[in-house]
Every structure is written in structure tokens, then in C-alpha cells.
Amino acid sequence: MPADELTRDDVLKVAQLARLSLTDAEVGAYQAKLAQMLDYIQILHEVNTDDVEPMAHAVEVQNVFRRDETLPSLTPVEALANAPKTDGRYFLVPQILDH
Amino acid sequence: MSLSGATAGELLLRLERGDLTAVEITAGYLDAIAARDGRVQAFLSVNRDEALRQATEIDSRRQRGAPVGKLAGLPVAVKDVICAKGQKTTCASKMLQNFVPPYDAHVITRLRDEDAVLIGRTNMDEFAMGSSTENSAFQVTKNPWNLSHAPGGSSGGSAAAVAAGMSPFSLGSDTGGSIRQPAGFCGVVGIKPTYGRVSRYGLVAFASSLDQIGPFANDVHGAALLLEAIAGRDPRDSTSVDMPVPKYAATVDEPLAGLKIGVAKEHFVAGLNVEVEAAVMAALDVYRKLGAEVKEVSLPHSKYSVAVYYIVCASEASSNLARYDGVHYGHRAESFKDMIDMFCRTRGEGFGAEVKRRIMLGTYALSAGYYDAYYLKALKVRRLIRQDYDEAFKSVDVIVSPSSPTPAFKIGELVDDPLSMYLQDIYTISANLAGLPGIVLPAGFSSSGLPIGLQLQGPAFAEERLLRAARMYERETDWHRRHPELPRG
């Protein structure tokens, strides 16, 4: 999509995918700034990449295994120490199922 | 006692001779922080009591002849993106304002093993996204050479702390230039190691295929010492490479005979400040006098590096930062309708503008219908950028360039212009995309008294070569011996 066609609805859709609540002012600002960025990155389309493999990583290692053995890990108290809401045993979240 | 300006090597020598103790050094730097950081604002927190306790313990071990580590008694400031057990690690974000890691990053374990003193946590752009340290949710760090100018970023606090004599060295992280650009702006030495040279375990992830931790120091030898301490394989980061760590500090003073320096014609184009260009040309003359050969090389795809970088880093960031959902740690919104709304409000409140901008761009680039056109295309051009380097390093040992197109810009100057801010990283970004190491060191001053940085880039795992080549230049100049005027501690 050409960047100048980036609509307000597109921005809201991306925000929904990214789980970001945005204010009206932010939606307008991101519409402009994203369009500017997308416009800039169009320069990549002048590069011929027909026979080029994508490069996801600089050190192209694959399948690094370790032994399947139990090692010390965090205690429940440590794991829960930074939780926004906990009952001391679990992370607490809002109810997601209706009874 | 004022220790500002002392190099890590000098401090170590005095510690070993017994004319300085770890407590004296630590107290000296704590005093310097107390005297100067009110102006510079490099630190988000200072570990006064813990640092002095650590120093006391090191002194007592040294006194009774028990073994001490290689950095015993030397303070290190740490960018607030690297987890240290029990020390608040905020990433300069409201999202992690109260986050206290339950474990140490690998590099922190290494520093503790070598008895470095963890003196404090430094300011940064939120989640390491930025080139000025203005994107911190908490404070704006000033350039110690001119307090109305930015220190660079995202590791601006770590660079400014060393430049202002508030620590002999520090750790930063570099995803697109976040160590090297602030090193250049603040007139200190900074290294972005080869991808995989240093474990990322415990480094809060921004763009995992680009992030590397590296050192800042006030001379090349100090940077070598710190890199040697943190480098090496760690099974907890499967991308860390199992290769021996050279004795960087022991060899740094050995000049390289027959050094071949490449200069990329693409680096000297419109937008490059004339004083920066002149400083780089003068540095090449220094190398020629030392017997080095300077020849032109070409990096034809370098003009695409910023575009590739912003797709790759934003895509990886949008995925990495999905973890901040208000469930396991970090900020949670107070009021919300349901679970999804809790995620959205938590993230809307917790993240700053630049972080949201990159999450939005990355989510867009990875979304259905655009993945091939943006993300996949960027990964292909990324390979061409790497191939340019492979070709260039067939005929030269290092590539010399500016570290950024201008000396430090003013605070606020680029804050509303993301694209110009992104173009700050034009000389540094390619090394991250290609996974290659780079070092920046001071190479002069502008007419207004701001430092100018020189960058040397090398092939993968050529850190030893970069350090020795950088030291050859440093030995012939005294830029690293100049210090900004600040209140004495």
C-alpha cells in the first residue's frame, strides 16, 4: 500500500493487533509518522533481491541443543515478586470465561 | 580524592601497588557523582552502600592475600537495560519503573566474578530506542562537554558517566549504534562487539538479532579490559559463540604492521559535517605516517541500511515487547473492562511515544499482506549489506569512518523529527545488520568544543585487531586526555 493511503482505520487496526490503546491525538500523530516512515522505506524496492536468501541472523547457527537436565530455577516467591497482582501462589488476571 | 581522568589501567596499577584501596576509589567516584551528576544526570540510581560494602570486602581479601578478580576494586556503571539481581532495572520506562530482577545478567555475573564494583545504573532512551537519551521516561542526560547538547543514545548515561569522570568505565548496549554514537558525542571509547561475542542473557531484549552489550572507557586499554571480562560463551544465550576470548588488554599496545585501512566512498557524501570529515581525514594521515596503507572500498548497499534497520528492529521489537502485558511483571492499568482492555491500557500507559511508534511500525511490517513487501524484503537487503562487507574485507583489515554525521546536536533539536534522528545512525547501523564489531574513539573537537568520534569496523571476531588499530591512533594523539570542565568531587 502506498504510504499516503494509510488511513485512520489502518492505524487503529495495527494498534489493535499490537494491543495498544491510543488517544485520538496519538492516532493522528502515528498516522502521519508511520506514513513518513513507510514512504522512506520504499527505497528498498529499487534493490533487486531476486536470488537473495533472507538473512534473519548475523550468526546463522541452527539447532543449538543442551542436555535435558533439571537445573535450579526461580522459587515461586522470586517468580511472583514483581507481579502486579498475585495471591502468593499464582499470577492473578481478570476473569476471561463466563460461568 | 579526585580520580577523574584516571584510566582503568592506572587505577589497577595503583591498587596493586597498594597506594590506593578499592574503598578510596569507590568513595572518590561516589563523590564525583555527588558533585557532578546533578548537572549531567547520567545516573538513574547510585548504589552507594552496596558499592562501598563490595569495595570493603575486596580490600580485605586483597590485604590478607586471598585471590581477587581482574577488575578488583574498579567501579563500573551499568546501563539500566541489563538485569542485576536486587537492583531496580527500569529500561528508563514507566512500564518497568518498579521492576527488580530476580537474577543477574551473564555480564553482571562476570563483573561480580572479576570483583568490579557496581556503582550505579545509567539513563538511556526507553527500551534502548533512540539516539539522544531524551526518550527516557525519567530524566534528560546532558552532554558533559556542553550541557545544552545531547550525550547521544541510547546508552547516553553510560557514555556521559565516563566522560564526566564519574566512573572509569561502563556498560552499554548497541542495537544500531547505541554505544558508538554516544561514545563519539561524549569523547570516550566505545565498542560494539561481534554479534555472539557477549552473552545477551539478562539484557532486556529490544531487537534480538542486533543487540550486543559492550564497554565504554576513557581509553582503549580500559575498553579492552572490560570487553575481556564480559566476552565468551554462555549456554543461556544460544547465539553466544563458543570461541576463545583473546587477551585483549595484554596485546592492545602492539601495533599492527602493514595495516590496510579501507575508506568507503559512500561514507563521504552530503550530510557529513565538514569538521567531522576533516577530523577523519586527519586521522587517516596519522595512520599513513604509522605505515598503514589507506585504500578506497565500496559498500554499495549502505544507503539502504537505515531503511532495513527500521523494519528489522521495529519488527523484532514489536514481538519482544509483547511480553509487557501487565501480568507477570511491570505496570498494570488500574481500570479496564476485560482482559484485552487490560493489555491495551497497560501498554498504552506504560510505553512512551517512540516505543509505541516502533511497535506500531513493526506490527504493521509483520502483519498479513505486508510481511513479504517489508520484513522479507528487508532481510534480503540485509544479506546484501553483509556481502558488501565480506567483499571489502578481502582487501582491507579495517574500515575507518565517522561515528556519526555531526558532533552532538542540541537537546530538543531532533525530538520531533524521527527520520532525522534515525539518520544519526547511518555510520553505525550496518555493523549491527551484518553482525560485525566496531569501535569508536575520540578524534578531535569541533570549533565549538564538542568531541568528534572516529569509527573502525572489522570482520567478525576481529575485536583484537580493532583494539590494536585504535590504540595505534590513540598513542599518537591526546584527545582522550582532555576532560570537560565540571565541578570537582
Side-chain angles (χ1 to χ4, degrees):
Chain A
M1 157 172 47
D4 52 11
E5 288 174 22
L6 188 76
T7 65
R8 205 179 156 79
D9 280 348
D10 293 328
V11 173
L12 288 170
K13 186 185 160 215
V14 174
Q16 174 62 19
L17 289 171
R19 298 285 187 261
L20 277 176
S21 67
L22 299 181
T23 63
D24 281 350
E26 283 177 318
V27 175
Y30 289 134
Q31 192 180 348
K33 299 289 184 196
L34 278 178
Q36 190 194 4
M37 282 305 299
L38 292 173
D39 198 42
Y40 176 71
I41 60 190
Q42 300 304 323
I43 61 164
L44 295 183
H45 293 294
E46 68 189 50
V47 188
N48 182 340
T49 53
D50 286 350
D51 298 311
V52 183
E53 282 292 305
M55 174 180 165
H57 244 263
V59 181
E60 294 177 269
V61 289
Q62 282 168 353
N63 296 343
V64 178
F65 296 110
R66 64 165 175 80
R67 283 177 182 281
D68 184 17
E69 52 192 17
T70 311
L71 295 169
S73 57
L74 297 180
T75 63
V77 171
E78 288 170 319
L80 291 166
N82 285 287
K85 203 164 185 197
T86 169
D87 65 358
R89 290 189 308 152
Y90 298 105
F91 297 100
L92 295 187
V93 295
Q95 184 176 327
I96 53 169
L97 297 175
D98 290 327
H99 287 291
Chain B
M1 169 184 349
S2 179
L3 301 163
S4 70
T7 65
E10 289 160 0
L11 292 171
L12 271 185
L13 212 59
R14 295 178 66 184
L15 274 163
E16 280 156 17
R17 280 205 309 251
D19 40 288
L20 263 182
T21 64
V23 168
E24 285 169 333
I25 289 175
T26 302
Y29 282 101
L30 288 168
D31 288 350
I33 293 169
R36 298 169 191 173
D37 203 42
R39 296 190 191 193
V40 178
Q41 294 189 273
F43 285 88
L44 288 175
S45 53
V46 178
N47 306 327
R48 170 169 274 277
D49 296 344
E50 197 183 323
L52 286 169
R53 210 169 20 244
Q54 218 190 331
T56 307
E57 193 274 325
I58 293 163
D59 282 336
S60 93
R61 244 188 301 147
R62 202 192 290 272
Q63 266 165 17
R64 56 174 200 269
V68 292
K70 284 191 213 129
L71 303 178
L74 296 187
V76 182
V78 176
K79 186 179 182 181
D80 211 24
V81 69
I82 298 171
C83 290
K85 186 172 181 171
Q87 293 180 10
K88 211 154 70 162
T89 299
T90 69
C91 293
S93 178
K94 278 197 276 183
M95 186 62 89
L96 293 177
Q97 189 158 13
N98 298 308
F99 176 66
V100 180
Y103 64 93
D104 278 335
H106 179 73
V107 295
I108 297 293
T109 304
R110 290 293 308 125
L111 291 182
R112 292 193 202 274
D113 288 349
E114 298 299 353
D115 291 317
V117 174
L118 303 174
I119 195 164
R121 314 275 311 171
T122 58
N123 196 26
M124 54 186 280
D125 287 301
E126 183 180 5
F127 284 104
M129 298 181 193
S131 306
S132 69
T133 311
E134 291 164 290
N135 294 335
S136 167
F138 306 124
Q139 64 195 38
V140 175
T141 300
K142 317 298 188 298
N143 190 311
W145 291 92
N146 182 329
L147 300 176
S148 63
H149 286 252
S154 66
S155 313
S158 285
V162 172
M166 299 190 289
S167 185
F169 42 36
S170 62
L171 288 183
S173 64
D174 189 313
T175 304
S178 281
I179 290 174
R180 291 162 290 156
Q181 183 252 19
F185 275 19
C186 291
V188 298
V189 178
I191 299 175
K192 197 289 274 187
T194 307
Y195 187 80
R197 181 71 290 186
V198 178
S199 167
R200 292 176 293 108
Y201 178 78
L203 170 68
V204 177
F206 160 17
S208 305
S209 82
L210 305 167
D211 298 340
Q212 271 290 289
I213 297 170
F216 289 97
N218 56 18
D219 72 344
V220 174
H221 175 261
L225 269 176
L226 191 52
L227 179 62
E228 194 175 317
I230 61 172
R233 165 84 179 147
D234 166 24
R236 297 168 300 182
D237 172 4
S238 58
T239 64
S240 75
V241 174
D242 194 5
M243 281 176 71
V245 179
K247 303 284 178 212
Y248 300 122
T251 59
V252 67
D253 273 318
E254 296 169 15
L256 294 159
L259 178 66
K260 288 202 204 74
I261 293 176
V263 176
K265 55 178 187 272
E266 293 84 0
H267 286 161
F268 297 86
V269 290
L272 177 59
N273 172 289
V274 288
E275 290 183 308
V276 173
E277 179 169 0
V280 174
M281 292 304 159
L284 290 170
D285 283 338
V286 170
Y287 278 112
R288 283 191 191 95
K289 285 201 191 96
L290 294 169
E293 182 192 340
V294 177
K295 56 198 280 187
E296 190 176 282
V297 294
S298 180
L299 301 170
H301 294 92
S302 61
K303 71 168 168 171
Y304 303 111
S305 62
V306 173
V308 171
Y309 175 79
Y310 277 93
I311 296 173
V312 172
C313 91
S315 299
E316 294 187 21
S318 73
S319 170
N320 270 325
L321 272 64
R323 74 192 64 184
Y324 302 104
D325 57 5
V327 174
H328 297 100
Y329 45 78
H331 174 72
R332 178 187 287 194
E334 299 250 320
S335 63
F336 45 81
K337 292 198 300 279
D338 53 26
M339 184 85 163
I340 299 288
D341 193 44
M342 181 189 92
F343 296 152
C344 294
R345 284 173 192 255
T346 292
R347 293 162 61 77
E349 291 169 9
F351 292 136
E354 180 63 23
V355 174
K356 287 186 211 174
R357 191 148 57 218
R358 296 203 200 186
I359 290 174
M360 293 286 289
L361 179 62
T363 305
Y364 180 83
L366 292 176
S367 64
Y370 303 112
Y371 179 89
D372 285 359
Y374 291 111
Y375 184 66
L376 207 58
K377 182 75 183 181
L379 293 189
K380 290 178 177 178
V381 182
R382 182 179 185 181
R383 183 171 301 279
L384 296 175
I385 290 169
R386 169 65 189 249
Q387 286 173 352
D388 287 350
Y389 277 105
D390 292 344
E391 196 55 37
F393 286 126
K394 284 180 188 162
S395 61
V396 298
D397 302 314
V398 299
I399 295 173
V400 164
S401 73
S403 51
S404 39
T406 64
F409 48 84
K410 284 198 167 123
I411 289 167
E413 194 176 332
L414 299 184
V415 86
D416 291 324
D417 186 358
L419 200 52
S420 297
M421 188 72 94
Y422 297 171
L423 289 167
Q424 269 296 314
D425 298 330
I426 188 124
Y427 295 111
T428 49
I429 267 177
S430 299
N432 300 79
L433 292 168
L436 304 178
I439 184 168
V440 165
L441 71 162
F445 289 85
S446 70
S447 50
S448 56
L450 290 162
I452 293 173
L454 181 75
Q455 177 178 233
L456 282 67
Q457 292 173 282
F461 301 101
E463 283 84 357
E464 183 184 358
R465 182 194 301 171
L466 289 182
L467 285 159
R468 290 168 65 184
R471 177 64 188 140
M472 287 167 70
Y473 173 80
E474 183 186 67
R475 195 203 291 269
E476 301 298 314
T477 58
D478 73 345
W479 311 118
H480 65 293
R481 287 286 179 194
R482 301 195 192 177
H483 305 291
E485 297 276 332
L486 287 163
R488 299 185 75 80

